[in-house]
Amino acid sequence: ATTYNFLAYANTIKHDYEVAADYFKKANLILQSHIEDSGDDMVFNLLTTGLCYRYMGKYQEALEVCNKGLTLAEKLYKGAHPYKGSANHYIASIYKNMEEYDKALDYYDKAIVNFKTDYGYDSPYLSSIYNDLATISMKIGEALSDRKQLEDALQYYEKGISIDKKYYGEIHPNIAAAYSHMSSVYSLMGRFEKAFDFIEKSLTLLQKIYRGKHPNIATVIYNK
């Protein structure tokens, strides 16, 4: 079951989602037959199955298995635990994809509490959450012409960048992506000089990282 779980996860990372889902099902069948001993393997199976379904756009199926994973994690582990943080993060991300932002924000808050308790205030996991929160704030700000939401988005991106710089240094794709997103926020605010500055920062980083040839560079040049 453990082997099937990791094969499934590897195929998820490769974007071979149908293959991954098949391995997850095989692992789950074995774990169900040894439920008293499955523990960590079952939680991993449920959460990563949910991640796979989310990437496939099967959001209801993803919610179902992730909620099962969260329930099991809460039963198995006392206090904060990485799997609890991951479960809340995955569920929040599903709701974000479904554009049910109120529910997403609730689960992001829970994930932040878990990750801060487990890893500290500058965990790389928090960077990913802050970027997601920034995306939500940007979309709400754009839809409602709400400048406060757009300002919140910028603050979230800055928090994520600060964490990424601590862990990865000044040159990293995550930082370049955040700069590009910040450029979009400034553009929505009508602050076009700032938007241009940040798209330039993103382009400069990407050219250093990929030596001038990469689809992300083309995207940034197009946005510029």
PDB file of all heavy atoms in Angstrom, residues 47-83:
ATOM      1  N   LEU A  47      -5.552  12.205   1.578  1.00  0.00           N
ATOM      2  CA  LEU A  47      -5.231  13.600   1.250  1.00  0.00           C
ATOM      3  C   LEU A  47      -4.651  13.729  -0.154  1.00  0.00           C
ATOM      4  O   LEU A  47      -4.999  14.646  -0.898  1.00  0.00           O
ATOM      5  CB  LEU A  47      -4.264  14.179   2.281  1.00  0.00           C
ATOM      6  CG  LEU A  47      -4.795  14.299   3.707  1.00  0.00           C
ATOM      7  CD1 LEU A  47      -3.756  14.960   4.609  1.00  0.00           C
ATOM      8  CD2 LEU A  47      -6.092  15.079   3.749  1.00  0.00           C
ATOM      9  N   THR A  48      -3.756  12.820  -0.514  1.00  0.00           N
ATOM     10  CA  THR A  48      -3.144  12.925  -1.840  1.00  0.00           C
ATOM     11  C   THR A  48      -4.111  12.481  -2.939  1.00  0.00           C
ATOM     12  O   THR A  48      -4.020  12.967  -4.075  1.00  0.00           O
ATOM     13  CB  THR A  48      -1.835  12.111  -1.913  1.00  0.00           C
ATOM     14  OG1 THR A  48      -2.038  10.814  -1.342  1.00  0.00           O
ATOM     15  CG2 THR A  48      -0.723  12.807  -1.156  1.00  0.00           C
ATOM     16  N   THR A  49      -5.042  11.596  -2.619  1.00  0.00           N
ATOM     17  CA  THR A  49      -6.113  11.291  -3.576  1.00  0.00           C
ATOM     18  C   THR A  49      -6.937  12.542  -3.836  1.00  0.00           C
ATOM     19  O   THR A  49      -7.291  12.855  -4.976  1.00  0.00           O
ATOM     20  CB  THR A  49      -7.020  10.168  -3.048  1.00  0.00           C
ATOM     21  OG1 THR A  49      -6.259   8.976  -2.870  1.00  0.00           O
ATOM     22  CG2 THR A  49      -8.146   9.873  -4.032  1.00  0.00           C
ATOM     23  N   GLY A  50      -7.230  13.264  -2.758  1.00  0.00           N
ATOM     24  CA  GLY A  50      -7.970  14.516  -2.912  1.00  0.00           C
ATOM     25  C   GLY A  50      -7.223  15.526  -3.752  1.00  0.00           C
ATOM     26  O   GLY A  50      -7.813  16.222  -4.590  1.00  0.00           O
ATOM     27  N   LEU A  51      -5.896  15.600  -3.547  1.00  0.00           N
ATOM     28  CA  LEU A  51      -5.073  16.503  -4.348  1.00  0.00           C
ATOM     29  C   LEU A  51      -5.147  16.135  -5.824  1.00  0.00           C
ATOM     30  O   LEU A  51      -5.298  17.003  -6.696  1.00  0.00           O
ATOM     31  CB  LEU A  51      -3.627  16.434  -3.856  1.00  0.00           C
ATOM     32  CG  LEU A  51      -2.619  17.355  -4.549  1.00  0.00           C
ATOM     33  CD1 LEU A  51      -2.926  18.815  -4.234  1.00  0.00           C
ATOM     34  CD2 LEU A  51      -1.198  17.009  -4.101  1.00  0.00           C
ATOM     35  N   CYS A  52      -5.072  14.840  -6.103  1.00  0.00           N
ATOM     36  CA  CYS A  52      -5.147  14.359  -7.483  1.00  0.00           C
ATOM     37  C   CYS A  52      -6.496  14.723  -8.112  1.00  0.00           C
ATOM     38  O   CYS A  52      -6.560  15.233  -9.230  1.00  0.00           O
ATOM     39  CB  CYS A  52      -4.929  12.848  -7.510  1.00  0.00           C
ATOM     40  SG  CYS A  52      -5.001  12.104  -9.154  1.00  0.00           S
ATOM     41  N   TYR A  53      -7.583  14.466  -7.380  1.00  0.00           N
ATOM     42  CA  TYR A  53      -8.924  14.796  -7.894  1.00  0.00           C
ATOM     43  C   TYR A  53      -9.072  16.300  -8.127  1.00  0.00           C
ATOM     44  O   TYR A  53      -9.728  16.723  -9.085  1.00  0.00           O
ATOM     45  CB  TYR A  53      -9.995  14.313  -6.927  1.00  0.00           C
ATOM     46  CG  TYR A  53     -10.276  12.828  -6.988  1.00  0.00           C
ATOM     47  CD1 TYR A  53     -10.678  12.130  -5.852  1.00  0.00           C
ATOM     48  CD2 TYR A  53     -10.162  12.119  -8.176  1.00  0.00           C
ATOM     49  CE1 TYR A  53     -10.945  10.765  -5.894  1.00  0.00           C
ATOM     50  CE2 TYR A  53     -10.421  10.762  -8.230  1.00  0.00           C
ATOM     51  CZ  TYR A  53     -10.809  10.086  -7.094  1.00  0.00           C
ATOM     52  OH  TYR A  53     -11.068   8.745  -7.150  1.00  0.00           O
ATOM     53  N   ARG A  54      -8.476  17.078  -7.254  1.00  0.00           N
ATOM     54  CA  ARG A  54      -8.548  18.536  -7.449  1.00  0.00           C
ATOM     55  C   ARG A  54      -7.883  18.930  -8.760  1.00  0.00           C
ATOM     56  O   ARG A  54      -8.415  19.733  -9.536  1.00  0.00           O
ATOM     57  CB  ARG A  54      -7.857  19.236  -6.274  1.00  0.00           C
ATOM     58  CG  ARG A  54      -7.791  20.758  -6.441  1.00  0.00           C
ATOM     59  CD  ARG A  54      -6.799  21.375  -5.480  1.00  0.00           C
ATOM     60  NE  ARG A  54      -6.369  22.681  -5.945  1.00  0.00           N
ATOM     61  CZ  ARG A  54      -5.216  23.247  -5.666  1.00  0.00           C
ATOM     62  NH1 ARG A  54      -4.338  22.615  -4.897  1.00  0.00           N
ATOM     63  NH2 ARG A  54      -4.902  24.429  -6.135  1.00  0.00           N
ATOM     64  N   TYR A  55      -6.706  18.371  -9.034  1.00  0.00           N
ATOM     65  CA  TYR A  55      -6.017  18.681 -10.283  1.00  0.00           C
ATOM     66  C   TYR A  55      -6.828  18.219 -11.499  1.00  0.00           C
ATOM     67  O   TYR A  55      -6.728  18.797 -12.587  1.00  0.00           O
ATOM     68  CB  TYR A  55      -4.639  18.030 -10.309  1.00  0.00           C
ATOM     69  CG  TYR A  55      -3.637  18.635  -9.359  1.00  0.00           C
ATOM     70  CD1 TYR A  55      -2.593  17.874  -8.840  1.00  0.00           C
ATOM     71  CD2 TYR A  55      -3.710  19.970  -8.986  1.00  0.00           C
ATOM     72  CE1 TYR A  55      -1.659  18.417  -7.966  1.00  0.00           C
ATOM     73  CE2 TYR A  55      -2.793  20.527  -8.114  1.00  0.00           C
ATOM     74  CZ  TYR A  55      -1.772  19.752  -7.610  1.00  0.00           C
ATOM     75  OH  TYR A  55      -0.846  20.294  -6.751  1.00  0.00           O
ATOM     76  N   MET A  56      -7.616  17.166 -11.310  1.00  0.00           N
ATOM     77  CA  MET A  56      -8.455  16.653 -12.397  1.00  0.00           C
ATOM     78  C   MET A  56      -9.736  17.468 -12.560  1.00  0.00           C
ATOM     79  O   MET A  56     -10.497  17.241 -13.501  1.00  0.00           O
ATOM     80  CB  MET A  56      -8.810  15.187 -12.131  1.00  0.00           C
ATOM     81  CG  MET A  56      -7.622  14.243 -12.145  1.00  0.00           C
ATOM     82  SD  MET A  56      -8.037  12.580 -11.543  1.00  0.00           S
ATOM     83  CE  MET A  56      -8.917  11.923 -12.977  1.00  0.00           C
ATOM     84  N   GLY A  57      -9.976  18.395 -11.639  1.00  0.00           N
ATOM     85  CA  GLY A  57     -11.200  19.191 -11.691  1.00  0.00           C
ATOM     86  C   GLY A  57     -12.407  18.494 -11.092  1.00  0.00           C
ATOM     87  O   GLY A  57     -13.527  18.974 -11.219  1.00  0.00           O
ATOM     88  N   LYS A  58     -12.163  17.378 -10.395  1.00  0.00           N
ATOM     89  CA  LYS A  58     -13.259  16.638  -9.755  1.00  0.00           C
ATOM     90  C   LYS A  58     -13.375  17.124  -8.309  1.00  0.00           C
ATOM     91  O   LYS A  58     -12.976  16.458  -7.349  1.00  0.00           O
ATOM     92  CB  LYS A  58     -12.980  15.136  -9.805  1.00  0.00           C
ATOM     93  CG  LYS A  58     -12.929  14.567 -11.218  1.00  0.00           C
ATOM     94  CD  LYS A  58     -12.679  13.051 -11.202  1.00  0.00           C
ATOM     95  CE  LYS A  58     -12.697  12.469 -12.600  1.00  0.00           C
ATOM     96  NZ  LYS A  58     -12.485  10.992 -12.583  1.00  0.00           N
ATOM     97  N   TYR A  59     -13.951  18.295  -8.141  1.00  0.00           N
ATOM     98  CA  TYR A  59     -13.893  18.975  -6.863  1.00  0.00           C
ATOM     99  C   TYR A  59     -14.728  18.303  -5.773  1.00  0.00           C
ATOM    100  O   TYR A  59     -14.315  18.273  -4.606  1.00  0.00           O
ATOM    101  CB  TYR A  59     -14.310  20.435  -7.029  1.00  0.00           C
ATOM    102  CG  TYR A  59     -13.410  21.210  -7.961  1.00  0.00           C
ATOM    103  CD1 TYR A  59     -13.925  22.040  -8.943  1.00  0.00           C
ATOM    104  CD2 TYR A  59     -12.020  21.099  -7.862  1.00  0.00           C
ATOM    105  CE1 TYR A  59     -13.101  22.743  -9.804  1.00  0.00           C
ATOM    106  CE2 TYR A  59     -11.184  21.801  -8.711  1.00  0.00           C
ATOM    107  CZ  TYR A  59     -11.731  22.625  -9.687  1.00  0.00           C
ATOM    108  OH  TYR A  59     -10.915  23.314 -10.537  1.00  0.00           O
ATOM    109  N   GLN A  60     -15.897  17.801  -6.113  1.00  0.00           N
ATOM    110  CA  GLN A  60     -16.714  17.149  -5.091  1.00  0.00           C
ATOM    111  C   GLN A  60     -16.048  15.881  -4.572  1.00  0.00           C
ATOM    112  O   GLN A  60     -16.038  15.614  -3.365  1.00  0.00           O
ATOM    113  CB  GLN A  60     -18.104  16.831  -5.660  1.00  0.00           C
ATOM    114  CG  GLN A  60     -18.959  18.059  -5.948  1.00  0.00           C
ATOM    115  CD  GLN A  60     -19.185  18.924  -4.717  1.00  0.00           C
ATOM    116  OE1 GLN A  60     -19.243  18.428  -3.592  1.00  0.00           O
ATOM    117  NE2 GLN A  60     -19.300  20.223  -4.927  1.00  0.00           N
ATOM    118  N   GLU A  61     -15.466  15.099  -5.489  1.00  0.00           N
ATOM    119  CA  GLU A  61     -14.739  13.893  -5.068  1.00  0.00           C
ATOM    120  C   GLU A  61     -13.534  14.276  -4.213  1.00  0.00           C
ATOM    121  O   GLU A  61     -13.224  13.618  -3.210  1.00  0.00           O
ATOM    122  CB  GLU A  61     -14.284  13.084  -6.275  1.00  0.00           C
ATOM    123  CG  GLU A  61     -15.407  12.435  -7.062  1.00  0.00           C
ATOM    124  CD  GLU A  61     -15.860  13.291  -8.235  1.00  0.00           C
ATOM    125  OE1 GLU A  61     -15.802  14.548  -8.125  1.00  0.00           O
ATOM    126  OE2 GLU A  61     -16.265  12.710  -9.243  1.00  0.00           O
ATOM    127  N   ALA A  62     -12.861  15.359  -4.606  1.00  0.00           N
ATOM    128  CA  ALA A  62     -11.699  15.825  -3.848  1.00  0.00           C
ATOM    129  C   ALA A  62     -12.100  16.236  -2.434  1.00  0.00           C
ATOM    130  O   ALA A  62     -11.420  15.889  -1.457  1.00  0.00           O
ATOM    131  CB  ALA A  62     -11.048  17.000  -4.569  1.00  0.00           C
ATOM    132  N   LEU A  63     -13.198  16.970  -2.312  1.00  0.00           N
ATOM    133  CA  LEU A  63     -13.670  17.382  -0.991  1.00  0.00           C
ATOM    134  C   LEU A  63     -14.012  16.183  -0.125  1.00  0.00           C
ATOM    135  O   LEU A  63     -13.700  16.151   1.073  1.00  0.00           O
ATOM    136  CB  LEU A  63     -14.899  18.282  -1.128  1.00  0.00           C
ATOM    137  CG  LEU A  63     -14.667  19.750  -1.461  1.00  0.00           C
ATOM    138  CD1 LEU A  63     -16.000  20.460  -1.655  1.00  0.00           C
ATOM    139  CD2 LEU A  63     -13.871  20.433  -0.347  1.00  0.00           C
ATOM    140  N   GLU A  64     -14.658  15.197  -0.720  1.00  0.00           N
ATOM    141  CA  GLU A  64     -15.088  14.025   0.035  1.00  0.00           C
ATOM    142  C   GLU A  64     -13.898  13.301   0.667  1.00  0.00           C
ATOM    143  O   GLU A  64     -13.895  13.005   1.873  1.00  0.00           O
ATOM    144  CB  GLU A  64     -15.867  13.070  -0.867  1.00  0.00           C
ATOM    145  CG  GLU A  64     -16.378  11.832  -0.146  1.00  0.00           C
ATOM    146  CD  GLU A  64     -17.150  10.891  -1.056  1.00  0.00           C
ATOM    147  OE1 GLU A  64     -17.457  11.287  -2.202  1.00  0.00           O
ATOM    148  OE2 GLU A  64     -17.438   9.762  -0.621  1.00  0.00           O
ATOM    149  N   VAL A  65     -12.880  13.007  -0.142  1.00  0.00           N
ATOM    150  CA  VAL A  65     -11.749  12.246   0.400  1.00  0.00           C
ATOM    151  C   VAL A  65     -10.875  13.095   1.320  1.00  0.00           C
ATOM    152  O   VAL A  65     -10.338  12.590   2.311  1.00  0.00           O
ATOM    153  CB  VAL A  65     -10.905  11.591  -0.728  1.00  0.00           C
ATOM    154  CG1 VAL A  65     -11.696  10.504  -1.418  1.00  0.00           C
ATOM    155  CG2 VAL A  65     -10.401  12.618  -1.718  1.00  0.00           C
ATOM    156  N   CYS A  66     -10.745  14.390   1.039  1.00  0.00           N
ATOM    157  CA  CYS A  66      -9.949  15.247   1.914  1.00  0.00           C
ATOM    158  C   CYS A  66     -10.617  15.409   3.278  1.00  0.00           C
ATOM    159  O   CYS A  66      -9.935  15.449   4.312  1.00  0.00           O
ATOM    160  CB  CYS A  66      -9.716  16.606   1.270  1.00  0.00           C
ATOM    161  SG  CYS A  66      -8.404  16.630   0.036  1.00  0.00           S
ATOM    162  N   ASN A  67     -11.930  15.511   3.279  1.00  0.00           N
ATOM    163  CA  ASN A  67     -12.640  15.598   4.556  1.00  0.00           C
ATOM    164  C   ASN A  67     -12.495  14.304   5.355  1.00  0.00           C
ATOM    165  O   ASN A  67     -12.369  14.337   6.587  1.00  0.00           O
ATOM    166  CB  ASN A  67     -14.111  15.928   4.334  1.00  0.00           C
ATOM    167  CG  ASN A  67     -14.360  17.428   4.198  1.00  0.00           C
ATOM    168  OD1 ASN A  67     -13.974  18.200   5.068  1.00  0.00           O
ATOM    169  ND2 ASN A  67     -14.988  17.839   3.116  1.00  0.00           N
ATOM    170  N   LYS A  68     -12.490  13.176   4.667  1.00  0.00           N
ATOM    171  CA  LYS A  68     -12.238  11.905   5.349  1.00  0.00           C
ATOM    172  C   LYS A  68     -10.830  11.891   5.938  1.00  0.00           C
ATOM    173  O   LYS A  68     -10.614  11.433   7.059  1.00  0.00           O
ATOM    174  CB  LYS A  68     -12.403  10.736   4.372  1.00  0.00           C
ATOM    175  CG  LYS A  68     -13.844  10.417   4.004  1.00  0.00           C
ATOM    176  CD  LYS A  68     -13.901   9.224   3.059  1.00  0.00           C
ATOM    177  CE  LYS A  68     -15.337   8.879   2.681  1.00  0.00           C
ATOM    178  NZ  LYS A  68     -15.397   7.747   1.723  1.00  0.00           N
ATOM    179  N   GLY A  69      -9.879  12.408   5.167  1.00  0.00           N
ATOM    180  CA  GLY A  69      -8.504  12.473   5.646  1.00  0.00           C
ATOM    181  C   GLY A  69      -8.373  13.379   6.855  1.00  0.00           C
ATOM    182  O   GLY A  69      -7.664  13.050   7.817  1.00  0.00           O
ATOM    183  N   LEU A  70      -9.056  14.522   6.828  1.00  0.00           N
ATOM    184  CA  LEU A  70      -9.014  15.448   7.960  1.00  0.00           C
ATOM    185  C   LEU A  70      -9.639  14.816   9.199  1.00  0.00           C
ATOM    186  O   LEU A  70      -9.087  14.920  10.311  1.00  0.00           O
ATOM    187  CB  LEU A  70      -9.742  16.741   7.603  1.00  0.00           C
ATOM    188  CG  LEU A  70      -9.849  17.789   8.724  1.00  0.00           C
ATOM    189  CD1 LEU A  70      -8.467  18.202   9.219  1.00  0.00           C
ATOM    190  CD2 LEU A  70     -10.629  19.003   8.233  1.00  0.00           C
ATOM    191  N   THR A  71     -10.778  14.148   9.022  1.00  0.00           N
ATOM    192  CA  THR A  71     -11.440  13.488  10.143  1.00  0.00           C
ATOM    193  C   THR A  71     -10.544  12.438  10.781  1.00  0.00           C
ATOM    194  O   THR A  71     -10.422  12.348  12.015  1.00  0.00           O
ATOM    195  CB  THR A  71     -12.759  12.829   9.685  1.00  0.00           C
ATOM    196  OG1 THR A  71     -13.639  13.844   9.179  1.00  0.00           O
ATOM    197  CG2 THR A  71     -13.450  12.112  10.838  1.00  0.00           C
ATOM    198  N   LEU A  72      -9.882  11.644   9.945  1.00  0.00           N
ATOM    199  CA  LEU A  72      -8.982  10.617  10.455  1.00  0.00           C
ATOM    200  C   LEU A  72      -7.777  11.239  11.156  1.00  0.00           C
ATOM    201  O   LEU A  72      -7.348  10.768  12.213  1.00  0.00           O
ATOM    202  CB  LEU A  72      -8.531   9.698   9.319  1.00  0.00           C
ATOM    203  CG  LEU A  72      -7.617   8.534   9.710  1.00  0.00           C
ATOM    204  CD1 LEU A  72      -8.268   7.653  10.774  1.00  0.00           C
ATOM    205  CD2 LEU A  72      -7.264   7.698   8.474  1.00  0.00           C
ATOM    206  N   ALA A  73      -7.226  12.304  10.568  1.00  0.00           N
ATOM    207  CA  ALA A  73      -6.070  12.974  11.180  1.00  0.00           C
ATOM    208  C   ALA A  73      -6.431  13.542  12.544  1.00  0.00           C
ATOM    209  O   ALA A  73      -5.641  13.454  13.496  1.00  0.00           O
ATOM    210  CB  ALA A  73      -5.565  14.079  10.261  1.00  0.00           C
ATOM    211  N   GLU A  74      -7.618  14.127  12.655  1.00  0.00           N
ATOM    212  CA  GLU A  74      -8.047  14.679  13.937  1.00  0.00           C
ATOM    213  C   GLU A  74      -8.244  13.583  14.974  1.00  0.00           C
ATOM    214  O   GLU A  74      -8.062  13.808  16.175  1.00  0.00           O
ATOM    215  CB  GLU A  74      -9.327  15.491  13.751  1.00  0.00           C
ATOM    216  CG  GLU A  74      -9.091  16.808  13.011  1.00  0.00           C
ATOM    217  CD  GLU A  74     -10.372  17.558  12.718  1.00  0.00           C
ATOM    218  OE1 GLU A  74     -11.446  16.907  12.711  1.00  0.00           O
ATOM    219  OE2 GLU A  74     -10.309  18.776  12.486  1.00  0.00           O
ATOM    220  N   LYS A  75      -8.619  12.399  14.513  1.00  0.00           N
ATOM    221  CA  LYS A  75      -8.792  11.261  15.415  1.00  0.00           C
ATOM    222  C   LYS A  75      -7.441  10.701  15.872  1.00  0.00           C
ATOM    223  O   LYS A  75      -7.279  10.329  17.043  1.00  0.00           O
ATOM    224  CB  LYS A  75      -9.602  10.168  14.720  1.00  0.00           C
ATOM    225  CG  LYS A  75      -9.839   8.924  15.560  1.00  0.00           C
ATOM    226  CD  LYS A  75     -10.636   7.885  14.780  1.00  0.00           C
ATOM    227  CE  LYS A  75     -10.811   6.600  15.595  1.00  0.00           C
ATOM    228  NZ  LYS A  75     -11.581   5.576  14.821  1.00  0.00           N
ATOM    229  N   LEU A  76      -6.476  10.667  14.960  1.00  0.00           N
ATOM    230  CA  LEU A  76      -5.191  10.035  15.249  1.00  0.00           C
ATOM    231  C   LEU A  76      -4.228  10.926  16.019  1.00  0.00           C
ATOM    232  O   LEU A  76      -3.448  10.445  16.843  1.00  0.00           O
ATOM    233  CB  LEU A  76      -4.520   9.599  13.951  1.00  0.00           C
ATOM    234  CG  LEU A  76      -5.167   8.451  13.180  1.00  0.00           C
ATOM    235  CD1 LEU A  76      -4.455   8.263  11.834  1.00  0.00           C
ATOM    236  CD2 LEU A  76      -5.108   7.154  13.981  1.00  0.00           C
ATOM    237  N   TYR A  77      -4.237  12.235  15.734  1.00  0.00           N
ATOM    238  CA  TYR A  77      -3.190  13.116  16.241  1.00  0.00           C
ATOM    239  C   TYR A  77      -3.762  14.160  17.199  1.00  0.00           C
ATOM    240  O   TYR A  77      -4.751  14.827  16.889  1.00  0.00           O
ATOM    241  CB  TYR A  77      -2.473  13.806  15.085  1.00  0.00           C
ATOM    242  CG  TYR A  77      -2.112  12.886  13.950  1.00  0.00           C
ATOM    243  CD1 TYR A  77      -2.660  13.061  12.686  1.00  0.00           C
ATOM    244  CD2 TYR A  77      -1.232  11.821  14.143  1.00  0.00           C
ATOM    245  CE1 TYR A  77      -2.336  12.203  11.639  1.00  0.00           C
ATOM    246  CE2 TYR A  77      -0.908  10.966  13.102  1.00  0.00           C
ATOM    247  CZ  TYR A  77      -1.469  11.160  11.857  1.00  0.00           C
ATOM    248  OH  TYR A  77      -1.158  10.311  10.823  1.00  0.00           O
ATOM    249  N   LYS A  78      -3.125  14.319  18.316  1.00  0.00           N
ATOM    250  CA  LYS A  78      -3.515  15.323  19.291  1.00  0.00           C
ATOM    251  C   LYS A  78      -2.819  16.650  18.981  1.00  0.00           C
ATOM    252  O   LYS A  78      -1.652  16.674  18.618  1.00  0.00           O
ATOM    253  CB  LYS A  78      -3.140  14.874  20.709  1.00  0.00           C
ATOM    254  CG  LYS A  78      -3.737  13.529  21.114  1.00  0.00           C
ATOM    255  CD  LYS A  78      -5.260  13.574  21.134  1.00  0.00           C
ATOM    256  CE  LYS A  78      -5.836  12.238  21.601  1.00  0.00           C
ATOM    257  NZ  LYS A  78      -7.322  12.235  21.564  1.00  0.00           N
ATOM    258  N   GLY A  79      -3.533  17.740  19.140  1.00  0.00           N
ATOM    259  CA  GLY A  79      -2.940  19.048  18.889  1.00  0.00           C
ATOM    260  C   GLY A  79      -2.647  19.273  17.409  1.00  0.00           C
ATOM    261  O   GLY A  79      -3.207  18.622  16.539  1.00  0.00           O
ATOM    262  N   ALA A  80      -1.742  20.207  17.130  1.00  0.00           N
ATOM    263  CA  ALA A  80      -1.365  20.505  15.745  1.00  0.00           C
ATOM    264  C   ALA A  80      -0.556  19.353  15.171  1.00  0.00           C
ATOM    265  O   ALA A  80       0.180  18.673  15.874  1.00  0.00           O
ATOM    266  CB  ALA A  80      -0.560  21.794  15.686  1.00  0.00           C
ATOM    267  N   HIS A  81      -0.716  19.145  13.865  1.00  0.00           N
ATOM    268  CA  HIS A  81       0.022  18.080  13.179  1.00  0.00           C
ATOM    269  C   HIS A  81       0.122  18.452  11.698  1.00  0.00           C
ATOM    270  O   HIS A  81      -0.808  19.037  11.133  1.00  0.00           O
ATOM    271  CB  HIS A  81      -0.694  16.738  13.336  1.00  0.00           C
ATOM    272  CG  HIS A  81       0.099  15.560  12.858  1.00  0.00           C
ATOM    273  ND1 HIS A  81       0.146  15.190  11.537  1.00  0.00           N
ATOM    274  CD2 HIS A  81       0.895  14.680  13.530  1.00  0.00           C
ATOM    275  CE1 HIS A  81       0.926  14.123  11.408  1.00  0.00           C
ATOM    276  NE2 HIS A  81       1.392  13.802  12.596  1.00  0.00           N
ATOM    277  N   PRO A  82       1.253  18.111  11.039  1.00  0.00           N
ATOM    278  CA  PRO A  82       1.401  18.464   9.626  1.00  0.00           C
ATOM    279  C   PRO A  82       0.259  17.974   8.742  1.00  0.00           C
ATOM    280  O   PRO A  82      -0.164  18.677   7.820  1.00  0.00           O
ATOM    281  CB  PRO A  82       2.727  17.798   9.243  1.00  0.00           C
ATOM    282  CG  PRO A  82       3.489  17.715  10.509  1.00  0.00           C
ATOM    283  CD  PRO A  82       2.472  17.487  11.587  1.00  0.00           C
ATOM    284  N   TYR A  83      -0.244  16.758   9.006  1.00  0.00           N
ATOM    285  CA  TYR A  83      -1.334  16.249   8.170  1.00  0.00           C
ATOM    286  C   TYR A  83      -2.615  17.054   8.366  1.00  0.00           C
ATOM    287  O   TYR A  83      -3.414  17.206   7.434  1.00  0.00           O
ATOM    288  CB  TYR A  83      -1.596  14.771   8.467  1.00  0.00           C
ATOM    289  CG  TYR A  83      -0.669  13.821   7.736  1.00  0.00           C
ATOM    290  CD1 TYR A  83      -0.432  12.544   8.219  1.00  0.00           C
ATOM    291  CD2 TYR A  83      -0.042  14.199   6.556  1.00  0.00           C
ATOM    292  CE1 TYR A  83       0.420  11.664   7.553  1.00  0.00           C
ATOM    293  CE2 TYR A  83       0.809  13.338   5.883  1.00  0.00           C
ATOM    294  CZ  TYR A  83       1.035  12.075   6.384  1.00  0.00           C
ATOM    295  OH  TYR A  83       1.872  11.211   5.716  1.00  0.00           O
TER     296      TYR A  83
END
